[in-house]
Amino acid sequence: MAKIIPFKAVRPTRDKVSLLAARSYDSYTAMQVESRLRDNPFSFLHIVNPGYKYQKEISGEERYGLVRNRYQEFKEDEIFIQDEKPSFYIYKIVNRDRLEFNGIVAAASVQDYAEDVIKKHEDTLEFREVIFKEYLKTVGFNAEAVLLTYPDNDELEAIIEEVMQSRAEYEFTTTYRDTHYLWNVDDEVLLKKIQQIYSEMPALYIADGHHRSASSYLLAKDLKEENPNHTGDEPYNYFMSYLIPESDLKIYEFNRLVKDLNGMTKEEFLIKLDEHFRIENRGMEYYKPSKLHHFSMYLDGEFYSLYLRKTKYEIKNALDALDTHILYVTVLKPLLGIEDLRNDQRIEYSHGKKDLAYVKTVVDSGTFAVGFGLVAVTSDELKQIADEGLKMPPKSTYIEPKLRSGVTVYEF
């Protein structure tokens, strides 16, 4: 049974939320970061990039300490204020594509994570888990929610819809034309009802944020060992999450781009591919696959459709049926010599929002030799992978919504 609880969020004042809210730091170019830091003194980027104040690149423990200092300064200047009562936060996003996401910001249990009530579908890198754990331990807060998903629930949807009939605490539109809304729910009867609904769910699924949730679990283990009066109710036993129903989840594919053909000519490569795929030359036609086990390929100025020969490929479990895994075990590893999908410098990824025109452009430029297009993973595939205790290859999914950092902050 899932344990989801309300918490006292630290939040920007209503007049500053649009200025403060920021995308994930890694999503900005260096030029974008510079302009926001220069022109907007309220941006959350000032907190996560504290060296800007001294015009110096700062990393490691020194940076962590300064991040905490900047955060405390925002609180001292009353840019951030903590809510007096534990609350759930109804959060709505309408993006530039007119897709709408409705969910609840809440605290999820690290124990549920450890016991697989909160299920995972991706592998994590231990060194990244440890680095982020140490960061959290020093700064004492988390400003980026883990995206969790659950089966659609009519009762919960009705509660969310009812709350959204009132005036939102926040309503702001970003320069990316996404509009964000937030409602504060602190009514005790409603809080208990929402908790009860989640407690009746046998499982929740991580959609995005595997490293953040893993790091929160490691942090809780450390702080428990350091606390002789540990009760299990301390804030470090939970991590901030954004919970949305499966039907709201939008999953895009990640296309694959490879820099060379591993010493083969085009003709040799096509002959090798023929073992596992029925190949059709589509010429200049933009071929985008629409079915599982169908792939597109752009090579030497032409598109190809690749249909998996099922008589040559055995499916024993959910991972075997996953297109990103199929491409890896039939093409990327045996033919193109790419074993480490995370670290091999010969492969790069572009999410499906960039579409096949981007794949064509970078291959035509000579930066890459070949590009592969895939069908997006479904939420059912994601859940089945997690239920079977399996892990997807890296960059199997690009998932929306993407929350802004700093709209709600969780302290521990």
Side-chain angles (χ1 to χ4, degrees):
M1 301 301 179
K3 186 175 183 180
I4 299 297
I5 66 170
F7 68 100
K8 298 178 182 178
V10 175
R11 300 189 285 115
T13 55
R14 183 184 290 175
D15 63 317
K16 302 224 174 29
V17 63
S18 62
L19 296 169
L20 186 140
R23 303 197 313 273
S24 172
Y25 187 83
D26 293 339
S27 69
Y28 293 98
T29 66
M31 186 177 298
Q32 289 172 330
V33 170
E34 172 65 27
S35 67
R36 282 158 175 77
L37 291 173
R38 182 185 64 243
D39 301 331
N40 180 5
F42 301 110
S43 173
F44 191 76
L45 295 179
H46 281 284
I47 293 176
V48 295
N49 188 11
Y52 180 79
K53 182 176 182 178
Y54 305 107
Q55 295 297 302
K56 181 183 177 183
E57 288 288 334
I58 300 174
S59 61
E61 293 184 7
E62 185 179 25
R63 172 177 169 262
Y64 304 164
L66 289 178
V67 167
R68 181 167 182 80
N69 290 348
R70 294 292 164 275
Y71 174 65
Q72 292 300 331
E73 288 167 8
F74 271 49
K75 291 179 68 177
E76 291 163 4
D77 293 340
E78 296 187 342
I79 299 167
F80 273 136
I81 298 175
Q82 186 165 29
D83 286 328
E84 295 181 359
K85 296 181 180 180
S87 303
F88 287 127
Y89 302 90
I90 308 297
Y91 201 132
K92 173 181 175 180
I93 303 172
V94 181
N95 73 10
R96 64 188 302 168
D97 300 321
R98 300 187 181 278
L99 294 176
E100 183 174 315
F101 308 95
N102 298 314
I104 298 177
V105 178
S109 166
V110 295
Q111 192 64 30
D112 283 352
Y113 175 87
E115 295 178 355
D116 210 34
V117 175
I118 296 176
K119 294 180 177 288
K120 312 90 178 164
H121 67 265
E122 283 186 5
D123 275 327
T124 52
L125 299 175
E126 184 178 358
F127 80 92
R128 285 186 60 190
E129 293 176 12
V130 172
I131 288 173
F132 194 58
K133 178 205 72 173
E134 293 301 325
Y135 170 83
L136 293 175
K137 198 171 187 178
T138 300
V139 303
F141 70 87
N142 192 352
E144 290 190 42
V146 172
L147 183 62
L148 299 179
T149 189
Y150 56 86
D152 286 27
N153 183 286
D154 292 340
E155 195 173 9
L156 198 52
E157 182 180 353
I159 291 173
I160 292 173
E161 289 293 335
E162 182 179 352
V163 171
M164 291 195 304
Q165 297 306 309
S166 62
R167 180 176 183 269
E169 176 72 11
Y170 297 152
E171 178 180 350
F172 65 96
T173 300
T174 70
T175 53
Y176 272 60
R177 300 180 185 175
D178 297 341
T179 302
H180 297 245
Y181 306 82
L182 182 136
W183 290 261
N184 184 332
V185 179
D186 59 13
D187 177 79
E188 291 188 9
V189 174
L190 204 50
L191 294 181
K192 289 180 180 178
K193 185 61 180 175
I194 293 172
Q195 284 185 270
Q196 178 191 342
I197 294 171
Y198 281 120
S199 72
E200 295 170 355
M201 295 180 182
L204 303 170
Y205 296 83
I206 298 175
D208 191 21
H210 284 79
H211 282 93
R212 276 169 277 152
S213 48
S215 299
S216 296
Y217 169 67
L218 293 178
L219 175 70
K221 285 179 63 178
D222 276 9
L223 296 182
K224 176 183 178 180
E225 292 174 2
E226 296 171 10
N227 182 3
N229 300 313
H230 173 84
T231 66
D233 294 326
E234 296 86 356
Y236 59 71
N237 293 291
Y238 299 88
F239 56 93
M240 186 169 65
S241 301
Y242 180 45
L243 298 103
I244 67 170
E246 291 173 8
S247 60
D248 273 12
L249 203 64
K250 178 61 178 174
I251 306 177
Y252 296 90
E253 70 276 13
F254 260 109
N255 298 319
R256 273 70 172 132
L257 295 158
V258 182
K259 293 185 177 180
D260 60 69
L261 297 182
N262 199 27
M264 288 181 282
T265 65
K266 169 186 170 181
E267 291 73 23
E268 289 170 337
F269 181 54
L270 289 170
I271 290 171
K272 293 281 189 182
L273 282 177
D274 196 84
E275 178 182 355
H276 283 287
F277 299 93
R278 178 180 172 182
I279 304 170
E280 184 177 340
N281 188 325
R282 302 276 182 154
M284 293 302 294
E285 173 194 350
Y286 274 66
Y287 172 70
K288 181 177 176 62
S290 58
K291 295 181 180 180
L292 290 177
H293 313 330
H294 288 190
F295 304 83
S296 69
M297 180 176 71
Y298 186 70
L299 172 67
D300 194 27
E302 295 178 308
F303 283 95
Y304 295 81
S305 58
L306 307 179
Y307 300 159
L308 182 68
R309 297 186 189 275
K310 295 180 182 178
T311 56
K312 296 285 292 182
Y313 184 85
E314 186 176 5
I315 295 177
K316 298 178 181 178
N317 54 41
L319 181 61
D320 289 339
L322 197 70
D323 282 348
T324 52
H325 181 72
I326 290 171
L327 191 68
Y328 174 63
V329 299
T330 61
V331 181
L332 298 179
K333 182 179 179 180
L335 303 187
L336 297 178
I338 296 172
E339 298 197 18
D340 186 346
L341 292 172
R342 291 186 185 277
N343 300 308
D344 196 309
Q345 298 300 304
R346 294 171 55 234
I347 186 169
E348 291 187 15
Y349 306 88
S350 68
H351 57 71
K353 294 191 78 173
K354 288 185 176 179
D355 69 37
L356 290 175
Y358 175 79
V359 173
K360 180 180 185 302
T361 298
V362 294
V363 172
D364 285 344
S365 72
T367 306
F368 298 93
V370 62
F372 298 95
L374 295 84
V375 174
V377 172
T378 66
S379 59
D380 285 342
E381 287 181 293
L382 183 152
K383 288 171 57 181
Q384 193 172 357
I385 291 284
D387 287 342
E388 294 183 18
L390 303 169
K391 300 293 184 290
M392 293 183 180
K395 299 295 186 182
S396 287
T397 58
Y398 179 85
I399 295 179
E400 289 190 335
K402 302 293 185 187
L403 286 178
R404 294 276 160 150
S405 297
V407 178
T408 57
V409 178
Y410 183 78
E411 292 188 344
F412 35 81

